[in-house]
Amino acid sequence: MTDYVSTTPGLFPLPDWAKEDLSDLKGHQKGDLIGGDEDGEIAAAYEEARGEVIDRQREAGIDRIAEGQLRWDDMLAHPLAVHDAVETRGIVRYYDNNNFYREPVVSGDLDFSGDVASELEAASDRVEEGLQAVLPGPYSLADLATDEHYGDEAEFLAAIADFLAGEAEAFPDHETLFLLEPSLVESPPEDGEDERASEAIDEVASATDSEVVVQPYWGALEEKVYAHLLDADVDAVGFDFVSDREDNVYNLQEYGAPGSISLGLADGQNTLVEEPETIRERVEWIDDQLPVSAFETVYLTTNTETFYLPYAKFEAKLEALGEAAELAEVKAA
């Protein structure tokens, strides 16, 4: 029987009180981009905010609890932006939206950092089961960064994959790892590079014993990119059905998928909150095309990170996803 699991891709907005407090403590707003080092008061504020978003997920009935990535001011670039071998330079537009990050320029060997592991360790103290880790996928992280050390694109991607694998190996026990790969859609790899991207994802996925979900978004993958992605040893691939229904259905019908699937059905950027019944109906529509019921696990999630949403809307999206998964389970039974 198919297991319907509610979750998110992480990267949450800060609670309103935390935005105000951290703004006062740091002297600027969250989006103004800071480094990874925080003093005691700032660290305490982030810890309190982490506890709040964990509690909100639990209250909403979310099955896989993310740490929230509240410190990730540079969004997916964060694991590099706080690394000692990386220099952060000018402000760069984050894909095609109005958010920005500091350009991470790699100037030395990407050895172990442990920054993300320490966040997940703090979350694991609060989450007894269903903990979900989040990392940028290696292709997207390489795409967002600039290499001034390795000198070769293939070698740089391999170094990024090795770095992320090392980070994942240090994670505490977790049930799921979401690898976020929007660059596979936004800046699709060319011939040869698509195979290397799949190999890089495979290396990171092999570093953990958890279920691994590769979540591209902001559209559908090109056929060749998708076909190569399926060569990676991952448990599920994600599909952004908010941005593109037809091409994602085509890829699934033409090439299949791993044993599980992740469906981006709620809009992570739009303040309009979907009704739980609407999300369930979207699952049924996809089920008519595939069917969804052939998969071992179906993850129900927002199509993108929810960083962009007002906090109250984020909370409402959590409620909708939690209830939608329950409705889907009842329907399947």
Side-chain angles (χ1 to χ4, degrees):
M1 180 177 169
T2 300
D3 186 18
Y4 290 89
V5 173
S6 55
T7 188
T8 68
L11 276 165
F12 297 159
L14 276 166
D16 293 336
W17 67 263
K19 284 183 182 177
E20 295 177 6
D21 287 3
L22 287 165
S23 176
D24 290 341
L25 288 169
K26 296 187 238 178
H28 56 70
Q29 297 294 323
K30 182 178 190 295
D32 287 340
L33 310 172
I34 62 163
D37 298 327
E38 296 97 11
D39 65 22
E41 285 185 296
I42 292 175
Y46 276 124
E47 177 63 23
E48 185 177 351
R50 179 188 294 117
E52 180 171 325
V53 299
I54 287 172
D55 288 345
R56 290 300 296 119
Q57 290 171 88
R58 188 180 289 113
E59 291 163 4
I62 298 298
D63 298 302
R64 297 290 185 270
I65 306 294
E67 180 269 333
Q69 294 71 50
L70 302 176
R71 293 173 56 246
W72 292 26
D73 294 316
D74 295 293
M75 289 166 282
L76 293 185
H78 171 86
L80 286 184
V82 297
H83 195 285
D84 289 340
V86 176
E87 176 187 350
T88 51
R89 294 184 184 166
I91 302 300
V92 182
R93 185 179 293 275
Y94 184 61
Y95 296 105
D96 62 350
N97 57 49
N98 289 324
N99 285 279
F100 299 86
Y101 67 102
R102 298 170 302 169
E103 179 189 16
V105 181
V106 178
S107 56
D109 288 341
L110 290 173
D111 54 6
F112 177 71
S113 165
D115 180 84
V116 181
S118 66
E119 293 180 331
L120 202 62
E121 193 71 53
S124 70
D125 293 337
R126 297 174 177 268
V127 182
E128 294 183 0
E129 59 181 22
L131 181 64
Q132 178 171 295
V134 173
L135 279 174
Y139 179 77
S140 292
L141 190 56
D143 178 52
L144 294 171
T146 298
D147 171 33
E148 290 189 355
H149 177 68
Y150 293 94
D152 176 82
E153 288 186 5
E155 187 178 348
F156 184 51
L157 177 59
I160 293 285
D162 186 61
F163 162 67
L164 290 174
E167 299 302 295
E169 286 176 355
F171 287 173
D173 288 343
H174 56 288
E175 196 157 345
T176 314
L177 169 61
F178 261 54
L179 291 176
L180 308 186
E181 282 283 16
S183 286
L184 287 177
V185 174
E186 289 288 311
S187 306
E190 299 178 353
D191 287 348
E193 191 180 19
D194 48 11
E195 186 174 357
R196 291 194 296 271
S198 176
E199 292 170 351
I201 290 168
D202 185 80
E203 179 178 353
V204 181
S206 299
T208 175
D209 293 329
S210 73
E211 299 286 300
V212 177
V213 181
V214 178
Q215 189 83 15
Y217 44 94
W218 288 319
L221 297 176
E222 294 179 356
E223 284 186 66
K224 197 165 181 291
V225 174
Y226 181 65
H228 276 296
L229 178 58
L230 293 181
D231 292 334
D233 187 16
V234 299
D235 299 281
V237 173
F239 299 86
D240 179 355
F241 279 100
V242 173
S243 300
D244 191 328
R245 294 199 311 178
E246 301 302 327
D247 287 344
N248 276 318
V249 165
Y250 173 81
N251 281 341
L252 282 162
Q253 291 176 336
E254 189 72 16
Y255 299 100
S260 297
I261 188 173
S262 177
L263 306 179
L265 299 176
D267 196 329
Q269 300 180 82
N270 195 314
T271 55
L272 177 65
V273 178
E274 298 84 354
E275 292 293 331
E277 183 66 27
T278 300
I279 297 173
R280 187 189 65 80
E281 289 171 356
R282 291 173 181 175
V283 175
E284 290 184 348
W285 181 87
I286 299 168
D287 190 51
D288 289 339
Q289 322 299 315
L290 298 178
V292 165
S293 54
F295 294 100
E296 180 179 347
T297 303
V298 176
Y299 297 93
L300 304 185
T301 181
T302 55
N303 64 322
T304 70
E305 61 263 66
T306 52
F307 176 89
Y308 321 95
L309 294 176
Y311 190 72
K313 295 293 185 180
F314 156 73
E315 292 180 298
K317 297 271 183 177
L318 291 179
E319 296 281 352
L321 285 168
E323 189 173 338
E326 292 183 7
L327 291 172
E329 288 280 7
V330 170
K331 180 72 174 180

